[in-house]
Structure formats: C-alpha cells, structure tokens
Amino acid sequence: MHRWGPKAGLAAAGRLICFFQPESLEDLQAFLKAGGHGPITILGGLANTIVRDGGIRGVVIQPDKAFSKIEALNETDLYVETGALNGSVAAAALKSGIGGLEFLSGIPGKVGGALAMNAGAYGAEVKDVLVEASGLMPDGTLQTFKPADLKMSYRHTELSEGLILTSCVLRGVPEPYDVVKARLTDIKEKRNATQPIREKTGGSTFANPSAEDLAKADLPEGMRAWQVVEKVGGRGLTIGGAMMSEQHCNFMINTGGATAADLEALGDELIRRAQEHLNLRLHWEIKRIGAAL
C-alpha cells in the first residue's frame, strides 16, 4: 500500500510536497508503471542533503525500511539494499567475518546515497568494493549494472536519468572478527575525536580539491578541503543559524534555527572566498535540492 504525507528536510526548513514510501520493490514498480506522477526526486537518509526552503515540486520517493535488507552471500560478498544504513552494513560485515567494509561506518546516511555519490572515508570508497548495483528505470523495469557501467570517480557515480537504485553487492575479504572489530573501533574513535558527530550536520561540506585544481592555484599537493576553508577564515564562520564547525571546519552545522538559505549562503561564501583569495574552485559535496523561497 502506498503511504503519502509531508516530510521535513534534515538540514533546514525545506518542506517536501508529496511523499511516497514504497513497502516493497513490487510496490515501487507498480507506482512507476502507473505513470502520471510528474517529476520524481529520490531521497535517502538526508545525511548529506539540504532541502531548500521552497520545498520540492512533484513526488518525493524514499526507499526506507522496506529496502534495508543485508545478507551475506558467501565469505566475501554482502547483498545490501539501498535503504540500509552504512553503519549497519559495516556491522553486518563484521558479524559475517568480512573485512574491508569498515570505512562505511565512517559515512553517515544510507547505502543508496553512498552509492549514488561514490562516498568514501578513511582511504576507501564505494567503487573499491562494489560488485554490481541494481535499480528501477522510470518505466519500472529492473536493471543491473557493473561498476564499469557507472563510470565511478571521486564523489561521482554516473547514473541513468530517473534511475532509482534499489540494491547492490559489496565485496570484502575474509578476516577474523577481532581484526575487523579493531579497525571499526579505530574509525569510531577517530570520528569522535575529529568530527562534530553529535551536532546537526550534513557531513563534509566540500569535496577535497583535485590535484589538477591545486596545481592551477599553485597550492600544496594533497591540500584538503578543510585546510582550504581554514585558510580563507572559514572555521567558526556563521551566517544566520549556519556555522562551520570549530572542531572540523569542513563540517557545516545547523546551530538550531538555520534556514536552507543560511546553509547554502554559508557554503557559497566560502566558495567565493576560495576563488577570490586562492584562485581555487571549491565544489559542494552536500547535495542541494528543491526550490529557494
């Protein structure tokens, strides 16, 4: 049965106009095949998203709990649906004696979003462990893609227009429980020490600059986005209710009353400063969707 209703955006006051949470793959297929629904926006866990204050026109679909299955297929592979939390995948891998997927515990949100943007952390990214991904086309047909089909690169996955990712297979390596557990503990401790994980934050605001962009700007090789933000006076910078974290200045925080416009204006101000002062173009890592007021 289709469930409809309003849904509030995570990072700001953006409102979703028409919200559909399918109860199964077949439910979602039936909805797509019926047509006549207008433009579609797919949302995951909203961990890395700003919904603009004017809301989203058309239909918002969120594959959620009905798409959260995680199953070990063998000693190296996990079948994962896109509504599963990244942290749950890392935990399931640990339980199954599969190593190499611990980095997912350092990525907030759900597998669908991580797959759609080739998310990464602690030296690894989704493309390194992806075997295949499946999804529904706008007409409801199910297709499966190999990594080469998706042309995955740094924080980018090339998806067919209108594709709704529904599941994937991830591959690690057989490893002892204690070895995998130790790496998970290390990641957790590093996150607690360096990131404002208890704040209202969308995670990393900007992607790390490419080697080519740094060379053009005559900046040190390997310079990270947080170093760029700090260099242009971004640590603690505030616009309205939006602030760049003092703890990790590539993390944007909603201090309690930020509008989506506040958050976006803060990011755009840092992009302006980096261009003006360093001749470097910063690129948003946070996805911004919907209409401004």
Side-chain angles (χ1 to χ4, degrees), residues 225-246:
W226 72 265
Q227 293 172 306
V228 175
V229 172
E230 185 164 58
K231 196 171 183 66
V232 298
R235 187 179 295 274
L237 183 65
T238 301
I239 293 180
M243 181 181 77
M244 300 308 292
S245 170
E246 292 277 5

Side-chain angles (χ1 to χ4, degrees), residues 92-132:
L94 169 65
K95 185 176 179 180
S96 300
I98 298 175
L101 302 180
E102 302 83 46
F103 74 96
L104 290 168
S105 68
I107 301 172
K110 299 184 179 182
V111 171
L115 181 56
M117 68 175 292
N118 185 30
Y122 302 101
E125 50 192 358
V126 172
K127 75 178 182 66
D128 299 331
V129 297
L130 181 66
V131 177
E132 63 181 32

Side-chain angles (χ1 to χ4, degrees), residues 42 70 77 88 93 108 133 168 193 212 217 225 230 266 278:
I42 307 301
I70 305 172
D77 294 357
S88 296
C168 62
E212 182 180 6
E230 185 164 58
L266 179 56
L278 303 176

Side-chain angles (χ1 to χ4, degrees), residues 18-293:
C18 196
F19 181 68
F20 169 44
Q21 215 169 43
E23 294 186 341
S24 65
L25 180 66
E26 294 72 23
D27 191 25
L28 180 53
Q29 280 183 304
F31 175 83
L32 293 173
K33 288 178 179 179
H37 37 60
I40 289 176
T41 300
I42 307 301
L43 292 185
L46 286 170
N48 200 238
T49 305
I50 293 173
V51 179
R52 293 187 175 112
D53 301 306
I56 301 172
R57 296 179 176 89
V59 177
V60 173
I61 298 177
Q62 186 185 47
D64 197 35
K65 294 180 181 178
F67 290 79
S68 59
K69 182 179 180 180
I70 305 172
E71 179 184 6
L73 300 177
N74 50 48
E75 64 180 4
T76 61
D77 294 357
L78 287 181
Y79 167 82
V80 181
E81 293 181 340
T82 51
L85 291 167
N86 294 314
S88 296
V89 177
L94 169 65
K95 185 176 179 180
S96 300
I98 298 175
L101 302 180
E102 302 83 46
F103 74 96
L104 290 168
S105 68
I107 301 172
K110 299 184 179 182
V111 171
L115 181 56
M117 68 175 292
N118 185 30
Y122 302 101
E125 50 192 358
V126 172
K127 75 178 182 66
D128 299 331
V129 297
L130 181 66
V131 177
E132 63 181 32
S134 297
L136 293 175
M137 300 302 291
D139 63 358
T141 58
L142 184 65
Q143 292 192 14
T144 298
F145 305 88
K146 297 297 183 183
D149 301 325
L150 301 176
K151 297 181 175 64
M152 301 173 82
S153 58
Y154 178 69
R155 301 301 177 265
H156 174 76
T157 300
E158 193 168 304
L159 301 175
S160 301
E161 186 175 354
L163 175 68
I164 301 175
L165 293 166
T166 56
S167 66
C168 62
V169 176
L170 304 178
R171 177 167 293 163
V173 294
E175 285 193 297
Y177 179 96
D178 290 347
V179 172
V180 180
K181 178 65 174 177
R183 287 202 292 265
L184 279 172
T185 300
D186 183 55
I187 287 173
K188 182 178 180 180
E189 290 175 350
K190 286 179 178 177
R191 286 191 72 208
N192 287 339
T194 61
Q195 299 177 10
I197 60 174
R198 291 178 178 81
E199 303 286 351
K200 296 177 181 178
T201 175
S204 295
T205 304
F206 303 108
N208 289 319
S210 68
E212 182 180 6
D213 285 346
L214 289 171
K216 286 180 179 178
D218 197 26
L219 291 169
E221 182 179 352
M223 192 173 189
R224 314 293 284 179
W226 72 265
Q227 293 172 306
V228 175
V229 172
E230 185 164 58
K231 196 171 183 66
V232 298
R235 187 179 295 274
L237 183 65
T238 301
I239 293 180
M243 181 181 77
M244 300 308 292
S245 170
E246 292 277 5
Q247 183 178 12
H248 191 313
C249 61
N250 194 31
F251 278 62
M252 185 181 292
I253 293 172
N254 180 344
T255 60
T259 63
D262 291 340
L263 295 160
E264 196 162 10
L266 179 56
D268 286 344
E269 169 62 14
L270 290 166
I271 289 172
R272 185 195 67 77
R273 290 188 185 189
Q275 186 68 59
E276 180 179 329
H277 300 300
L278 303 176
N279 193 32
L280 178 73
R281 173 70 177 176
L282 277 176
H283 296 277
W284 282 95
E285 187 166 311
I286 290 177
K287 186 177 181 181
R288 293 148 297 132
I289 58 176
L293 285 177

